[in-house]
Amino acid sequence: MIQNTALALLPVLTVLLVSVLTKRALLGLLAGAVTGAILLGGWGFFDTLVGTFGASLSNETVHWLALVVVLFGILIAYFNVSGAVSDFAEWTERFVTSRRKSLLLTWLLTVALFIDDYLNALTVGTSMKRVTDRYGVPRTLVGAIVKLTSAPIAVIIPFSTWAVFFAALLEQDGVTVNGSGFGAYVQGLPFVFFGWFALAIGLLLALGLLPLVGPLRREQLRVDRTGDPLPEGLTAEERAFELSGAATSGKRPLPFNFLLPIITLIVVTILTDINIVAGSAAAVVVAIVLYLAQRRMTIRDVFEQAFEGVMSMGYVIILFVLAFMVQHLNTELQLAEWVIGATEPVMHGALLPAIVFLVCGVYAYATGAFWDLAAVITPVVLPLAIAVGVDPVLAGTAVFSGAALGSTTCLYGDGIILASKSVGVKPLNLMLSILPYAGAAAVLSVIAYLVAGFATFG
């Protein structure tokens, strides 16, 4: 059994290499899972693989994510068959009259739904892709703006699911301000550098003040040439699903057919202590009542479209199961312990915040574990920071920034998977489009942590 050695990196490297070469995230995850099973089980790797598959299926987080995406799938199917999304897109014509305004509204909606990055990644992509289609905006650009904003806004607003979790970690490890971890988190918000830089880059991209580079530039040239905002590589079924409900009926648009379920989702989520499952279920119920009352759906449609919505999310659920298999194997291979052990000797003095951010960012990107990362590394980093004379709040924000970097960029992270599904693109295309901009935010964050580390050291 190979544990706590550099070979623990092999599953992660396999995932990235196979995904890029085949342009199929699912194949990459499967290859990574098989590699990890071989490292752990040797000739008995098949038993290890089956056991890991079972562990992933029994994971409570996978159950929760499956419920969320299935409910969203049903809701999106109801939106499409009722014409709610096309009504919303048509209604926005009165105040969204340009490409820049459509992208700015995309950014603003993502900020407004700061409660959780799953919520804004799914909701904003679904609501805005038809609006941006009118102005020849590639779907990958819409997804990039949403994903550059979703986790960063969740980590810098102190009333999100991210903030609540990270504040609890600080308090658990004895880092408090006025007796609470929440106070420490609020004090550290100016130092969550990746969140601020990514948020600003997302805004500048929406305003057209940053150039399109790499895959985004190629996608824009393709859209300009063909007039088709949908990416290449979609199956006929996927393309049909993305275009369903896009045609307008000629009647006066009723935006509240879309807005009321979304408002219900947000309000119920907040009132139930950030329970997105409850919010999504309530939104589905409101949509059914609205569309049946208006005869935009029949009882038969309710059941048929629910089935279609569940089936449309099948690929996403499979990706989640494989992603959690890889995460489980990484844990068994003690990847986190190896990374910490390899980098701990250089984590000292004023360099510590920058090194912590880099290590956490790379680890989160490589493994798809974000909150898990913070839960594992925070108890190591905070005592180390105190021991070497570094502000523990600053060190903690470096961990949280690294988690946000991973969520924004990881190919098989839940954030990328959900955002790509909502705008109708492949996870690999979205990740490659985001990397140049997230990379710029990461470089600026390293510089900022170096400055802050030297300014506060001792």
Side-chain angles (χ1 to χ4, degrees):
M1 184 178 293
I2 300 171
Q3 291 177 307
N4 203 14
T5 71
L7 287 175
L9 287 170
L10 274 180
V12 172
L13 296 176
T14 301
V15 170
L16 296 176
L17 183 62
V18 174
S19 296
V20 171
L21 291 178
T22 65
K23 300 188 184 302
R24 295 289 185 272
L26 191 147
L27 287 178
L29 286 169
L30 181 59
V34 171
T35 302
I38 292 172
L39 289 175
L40 280 173
W43 290 108
F45 75 92
F46 185 76
D47 291 337
T48 302
L49 191 65
V50 171
T52 304
F53 178 67
S56 181
L57 286 179
S58 62
N59 187 290
E60 290 184 2
T61 303
V62 172
H63 298 167
W64 182 82
L65 283 169
L67 275 176
V68 170
V69 298
V70 161
L71 287 168
F72 263 92
I74 294 171
L75 186 61
I76 291 168
Y78 289 164
F79 282 160
N80 286 336
V81 75
S82 68
V85 172
S86 57
D87 271 7
F88 177 77
E90 189 178 347
W91 173 70
T92 61
E93 288 181 356
R94 66 189 64 187
F95 53 90
V96 176
T97 56
S98 68
R99 172 192 174 95
R100 176 177 291 185
K101 287 181 180 179
S102 71
L103 291 176
L104 180 59
L105 181 58
T106 299
W107 184 85
L108 289 172
L109 283 176
T110 311
V111 170
L113 298 176
F114 63 83
I115 301 167
D116 187 83
D117 60 323
Y118 295 160
L119 176 63
N120 52 26
L122 280 166
T123 305
V124 177
T126 301
S127 61
M128 291 305 300
K129 60 188 177 185
R130 302 283 163 72
V131 180
T132 56
D133 282 353
R134 293 198 303 254
Y135 301 101
V137 178
R139 292 286 184 89
T140 47
L141 176 55
V142 180
I145 290 173
V146 169
K147 201 66 204 80
L148 280 166
T149 308
S150 59
I153 193 64
V155 83
I156 62 179
I157 297 291
F159 304 105
S160 68
T161 52
W162 283 62
V164 170
F165 178 75
F166 291 153
L169 288 181
L170 290 173
E171 187 163 334
Q172 174 183 301
D173 292 304
V175 177
T176 62
V177 171
N178 297 325
S180 76
F182 181 79
Y185 190 84
V186 171
Q187 180 176 293
L189 285 179
F191 303 106
V192 185
F193 293 123
F194 180 80
W196 294 109
F197 286 128
L199 197 64
I201 287 174
L203 175 59
L204 293 174
L205 197 56
L207 292 173
L209 299 179
L210 281 181
L212 300 183
V213 298
L216 275 186
R217 183 174 182 275
R218 290 192 292 273
E219 265 298 285
Q220 186 62 67
L221 291 174
R222 184 194 62 79
V223 173
D224 292 342
R225 185 177 67 255
T226 64
D228 183 9
L230 291 177
E232 296 175 337
L234 295 182
T235 65
E237 292 78 9
E238 289 170 333
R239 180 170 286 273
F241 182 81
E242 285 301 316
L243 294 175
S244 61
T248 59
S249 63
K251 299 179 180 179
R252 182 173 65 89
L254 300 175
F256 286 102
N257 278 342
F258 176 80
L259 293 175
L260 276 178
I262 295 301
I263 292 170
T264 300
L265 190 157
I266 296 167
V267 171
V268 173
T269 297
I270 294 173
L271 294 179
T272 55
D273 294 327
I274 321 298
N275 187 338
I276 299 177
V277 172
S280 304
V284 168
V285 171
V286 169
I288 291 173
V289 172
L290 269 178
Y291 306 152
L292 286 177
Q294 297 174 34
R295 297 185 178 179
R296 291 194 169 206
M297 285 198 318
T298 64
I299 294 294
R300 181 175 179 175
D301 288 332
V302 170
F303 293 101
E304 287 186 349
Q305 293 303 315
F307 178 76
E308 290 295 327
V310 173
M311 294 304 293
S312 73
M313 291 295 181
Y315 176 75
V316 175
I317 294 172
I318 292 171
L319 280 181
F320 279 142
V321 171
L322 287 172
F324 274 83
M325 286 179 67
V326 174
Q327 288 185 28
H328 179 80
L329 290 165
N330 286 336
T331 301
E332 290 296 313
L333 288 166
Q334 299 179 4
L335 178 59
E337 288 80 356
W338 180 80
V339 171
I340 293 170
T343 56
E344 195 169 2
V346 295
M347 284 190 185
H348 59 81
L351 298 176
L352 186 139
I355 294 172
V356 166
F357 169 71
L358 278 174
V359 169
C360 291
V362 171
Y363 178 76
Y365 172 77
T367 62
F370 316 125
W371 288 16
D372 305 16
L373 152 83
V376 169
I377 292 186
T378 302
V380 176
V381 167
L382 296 184
L384 181 62
I386 294 171
V388 299
V390 173
D391 182 359
V393 172
L394 175 62
T397 63
V399 175
F400 309 149
S401 281
L405 170 59
S407 176
T408 303
T409 56
C410 179
L411 169 64
Y412 47 91
D414 37 27
I416 287 282
I417 293 172
L418 293 177
S420 63
K421 179 62 182 177
S422 74
V423 296
V425 303
K426 298 297 185 183
L428 180 63
N429 293 341
L430 183 57
M431 182 200 74
L432 293 176
S433 298
I434 288 171
L435 278 181
Y437 302 97
V443 170
L444 291 172
S445 299
V446 170
I447 295 171
Y449 278 118
L450 285 172
V451 173
F454 280 102
T456 60
F457 180 57

